[in-house]
Amino acid sequence: MAQMTTTNSSNSEHSKIFLSLIKLGNHVNYHILTKKIKTIHEIKQAYSAFIRKNKISPQEMIEVDGTMLSLKQELANEFERQYSISLRFFKTNTWGEFAKLNQPNYPQLSKSLIDGNGDLIRTFDDFPGTVAMMDFHGYTQFSNDVKYNKTPLKEFGDEMPQKLEIICRKFNTVIYELEGDALVLVGPENPYFITSAVLSIIELAKQKPLVKGKDPKATHGVNINNPVIKKFEMNAAIVTGGETFINNKGKIIGTIVAEASRMLTVMNMKHPTQSGILVSDKVYRAYEKYKEEQVKCHINIFDFNITSPFLVDVKGIRLNVREVYLEEKDFRQDIEGFNTKINQEIKKKSPTKWFNIIVHYIRMIMATINNVKVTITIGEEIYNTKTLNHKMYHLMDTWLREANPEIIRELLIITNELYRTTPEVREVTAIYHDFINENYTHIADKLDAYFDENLRREEEASPSLKKILIAYDVALQKIKDRVFQRRIIETILSDPMLNEKLYNTPYIGKK
């Protein structure tokens, strides 16, 4: 069939079609800007209406700069440009960092967050992806150190984000937020993706492989050595699930971000100067679920020891979490059994648990300081590891024989000083520190009131006791020895007024 050459009049008509397409693009973009278009489906409808209205025969030709071209093809090309601009404009304005999501680069994450129409799913009863929150230790000091040399700061601000982007894309993970020393990642439901990204980012910050003999560059192609900037330590928290909403700015709102933030608070208390990872127990269970779908990577989360789950309350949110030990330390194996016993006691309903919790807590601290060099000052006494262990052993021996409030106060003074001065003790006690201090201060006060009240009753029942009260300490000791110590704890903790003051879960921060 002979090809048809357009006339001037038809050329004019075809120009009107192109002009109407450009007007449509401007119209759609204006409605995106004014929030009148709220979904990709609406954009598709607008452009589909144009196609239905303007049907072009494949045989129709148009003359452009003396060259005859297929009108249908030229229109299709312009249509694709206008539609792509509208799509990109819409995503940039309403998806935030999720605008970079696409099937080729992020197949797993796109499957979880994008619906059949191509729209971002914004409301989740149980978020199907994973979120990791990370921060760089020492960023403020780094900024101060380089204030007269902008090259390291520029390297950190320009080159580091590019490397992070390459690593995250490799593991199907989006950098949701990168501001200063804060980093938030969003990955697929399979936690091996985001976990591989987190481990690789920590290696990039430390400029050192986490597992000796492994080459990170072989996996993601990024050279982790960078002499221009200092080496950083990083903490990370990885969570999944929970009610979540993504607003019209692409910001995640919901429990998943709140949990990650509070878990990071825990890690920063435990490891203020070292790298570490905390995973929710739900993420840990997902590792088992996806063990047959692990990500190809030079490093695996199970290259490291992971603790048993423990409960902690951070600013009103209860977390069931596990710690991943990126570096092995001798005392960690020694204290794991005490950690388990403390958590078992915490879950019990019997008041007797308060007699046992402090015993396991102190024994855990004693096991810790046996592996480190300690020197602390209590009052006028200077203690080293040996003398401090002896002191705490003596105090615990007394506690096991009598419910003595002064023993509690002495132990709290010692443990608080160790928490302040010894990083290893801080690591193992951080999640229990406020919990122990608050609860056992109440218990010590209640014990004082208990003994005072019993002494008053003894005095009323026996006038001769008034003479004995001259030797108050002796009489008080007799009262303490008269009753089985665990029974005393059970008796005073049967008081509902005291129980209201006691926290049943370790916590960090104000509740």
Side-chain angles (χ1 to χ4, degrees):
M1 183 183 295
Q3 292 184 337
M4 183 177 63
T5 303
T6 60
T7 64
N8 287 335
S9 60
S10 62
N11 233 0
S12 176
E13 287 299 315
H14 295 148
S15 295
K16 289 180 181 179
I17 294 175
F18 277 93
L19 182 60
S20 65
L21 177 57
I22 293 172
K23 285 183 176 180
L24 171 64
N26 291 335
H27 176 79
V28 169
N29 294 341
Y30 175 75
H31 278 75
I32 291 171
L33 188 64
T34 55
K35 310 298 183 185
K36 291 180 180 177
I37 287 182
K38 299 180 181 180
T39 67
I40 290 177
H41 182 62
E42 292 175 87
I43 298 174
K44 287 180 178 179
Q45 284 182 319
Y47 279 97
S48 295
F50 175 86
I51 292 293
R52 290 194 299 271
K53 182 179 179 182
N54 297 279
K55 293 186 179 296
I56 306 294
S57 168
Q59 283 75 36
E60 286 194 64
M61 304 296 290
I62 186 170
E63 184 176 356
V64 179
D65 296 332
T67 303
M68 302 305 294
L69 302 171
S70 166
L71 175 62
K72 187 177 182 68
Q73 184 60 51
E74 288 301 301
L75 190 60
N77 291 341
E78 183 61 28
F79 180 91
E80 185 62 33
R81 280 192 290 271
Q82 292 296 328
Y83 178 73
S84 296
I85 290 171
S86 295
L87 202 60
R88 192 180 310 119
F89 187 60
F90 175 81
K91 288 183 177 181
T92 301
N93 277 273
T94 63
W95 286 23
E97 291 301 325
F98 294 113
K100 67 185 74 171
L101 276 186
N102 58 62
Q103 188 64 31
N105 289 338
Y106 303 94
Q108 297 287 340
L109 192 56
S110 296
K111 183 179 178 182
S112 298
L113 300 185
I114 297 178
D115 66 17
N117 290 318
D119 280 303
L120 183 66
I121 303 171
R122 297 184 181 273
T123 304
F124 305 91
D125 292 330
D126 193 26
F127 188 67
T130 48
V131 168
M133 193 170 288
M134 308 178 72
D135 68 359
F136 292 86
H137 291 319
Y139 176 79
T140 302
Q141 185 62 47
F142 165 70
S143 300
N144 292 334
D145 291 344
V146 301
K147 59 184 176 182
Y148 300 116
N149 179 7
K150 302 304 180 186
T151 301
L153 202 57
K154 185 176 184 299
E155 181 77 11
F156 189 89
D158 288 341
E159 298 299 323
M160 182 69 79
Q162 293 181 32
K163 292 180 177 180
L164 292 172
E165 188 75 32
I166 292 170
I167 289 172
C168 287
R169 193 184 304 121
K170 171 70 179 178
F171 299 113
N172 223 264
T173 295
V174 166
I175 299 178
Y176 165 70
E177 189 172 313
L178 174 58
E179 184 176 345
D181 61 346
L183 182 63
V184 182
L185 312 178
V186 180
E189 184 177 2
N190 181 343
Y192 287 102
F193 283 102
I194 202 168
T195 303
S196 297
V198 166
L199 291 168
S200 297
I201 289 171
I202 292 175
E203 289 179 321
L204 177 65
K206 290 169 69 70
Q207 300 186 37
K208 176 185 176 183
L210 290 171
V211 177
K212 191 176 180 180
K214 297 293 182 70
D215 180 14
K217 189 176 180 180
T219 295
H220 47 62
V222 173
N223 185 2
I224 65 173
N225 297 316
N226 193 343
V228 177
I229 61 175
K230 64 173 283 187
K231 299 174 182 178
F232 288 93
E233 299 290 337
M234 294 192 76
N235 276 339
I238 307 176
V239 296
T240 188
E243 292 185 1
T244 304
F245 175 70
I246 302 175
N247 69 15
N248 59 9
K249 295 292 184 181
K251 294 291 184 182
I252 298 179
I253 301 169
T255 57
I256 194 166
V257 175
E259 285 184 16
S261 175
R262 282 156 175 77
M263 284 167 61
L264 198 58
T265 297
V266 175
M267 284 307 294
N268 287 338
M269 290 190 69
K270 287 171 70 66
H271 302 286
T273 60
Q274 293 178 311
S275 298
I277 299 176
L278 210 61
V279 301
S280 69
D281 199 46
K282 191 171 183 179
V283 168
Y284 185 84
R285 294 196 300 272
Y287 289 138
E288 179 66 22
K289 176 182 177 182
Y290 288 97
K291 66 180 180 180
E292 302 301 327
E293 302 174 44
Q294 295 189 37
V295 179
K296 185 178 180 181
C297 186
H298 66 283
I299 196 169
N300 188 288
I301 192 66
F302 292 105
D303 289 338
F304 310 95
N305 286 326
I306 304 176
T307 68
S308 301
F310 56 88
L311 286 173
V312 59
D313 192 314
V314 188
K315 296 181 180 178
I317 294 183
R318 181 164 296 183
L319 306 170
N320 192 19
V321 294
R322 295 172 184 256
E323 183 175 354
V324 181
Y325 290 141
L326 298 181
E327 296 180 12
E328 278 308 311
K329 296 182 179 178
D330 292 338
F331 64 84
R332 285 175 174 158
Q333 288 186 340
D334 296 338
I335 62 98
E336 185 63 24
F338 295 116
N339 252 325
T340 301
K341 289 178 181 178
I342 291 172
N343 283 291
Q344 287 173 345
E345 291 293 333
I346 286 172
K347 293 175 183 177
K348 291 179 180 179
K349 302 298 183 183
S350 169
T352 310
K353 70 181 185 181
W354 297 106
F355 189 90
N356 298 325
I357 289 173
I358 195 169
V359 173
H360 300 313
Y361 181 73
I362 298 302
R363 285 176 173 167
M364 181 173 68
I365 293 175
M366 292 171 68
T368 302
I369 65 174
N370 277 333
N371 294 276
V372 297
K373 186 177 180 180
V374 173
T375 302
I376 62 170
T377 302
I378 306 291
E380 297 182 355
E381 295 289 331
I382 299 175
Y383 294 94
N384 57 29
T385 302
K386 182 178 180 180
T387 56
L388 190 59
N389 251 328
H390 179 76
K391 173 73 172 177
M392 287 195 289
Y393 180 85
H394 174 72
L395 290 172
M396 287 309 302
D397 184 58
T398 306
W399 172 254
L400 291 170
R401 289 184 285 106
E402 61 181 66
N404 189 327
E406 290 308 312
I407 296 297
I408 292 177
R409 295 188 178 100
E410 281 193 69
L411 287 170
L412 293 183
I413 289 171
I414 292 171
T415 56
N416 287 342
E417 184 63 16
L418 284 170
Y419 181 83
R420 188 182 69 84
T421 61
T422 312
E424 292 82 2
V425 172
R426 184 185 185 92
E427 176 187 328
V428 302
T429 64
I431 61 171
Y432 306 114
H433 182 72
D434 292 342
F435 169 81
I436 291 289
N437 275 272
E438 185 86 12
N439 286 331
Y440 282 93
T441 296
H442 285 314
I443 291 173
D445 292 343
K446 192 66 179 180
L447 280 169
D448 276 334
Y450 172 85
F451 289 129
D452 287 345
E453 177 63 19
N454 272 271
L455 190 60
R456 185 186 63 78
R457 289 177 181 174
E458 291 282 352
E459 181 183 358
E460 290 175 354
S462 175
S464 62
L465 183 61
K466 292 182 180 179
K467 298 179 182 179
I468 302 175
L469 288 179
I470 298 173
Y472 174 83
D473 289 339
V474 176
L476 189 60
Q477 190 62 48
K478 287 182 178 180
I479 295 171
K480 290 177 182 179
D481 292 341
R482 187 174 302 148
V483 183
F484 183 50
Q485 302 308 314
R486 292 175 187 263
R487 184 63 57 80
I488 294 176
I489 292 291
E490 291 177 358
T491 301
I492 68 167
L493 287 170
S494 298
D495 180 358
M497 295 292 289
L498 177 60
N499 273 321
E500 287 180 4
K501 295 181 179 180
L502 300 181
Y503 297 117
N504 289 316
T505 307
Y507 66 91
I508 293 172
K510 294 181 178 179
K511 293 174 68 67

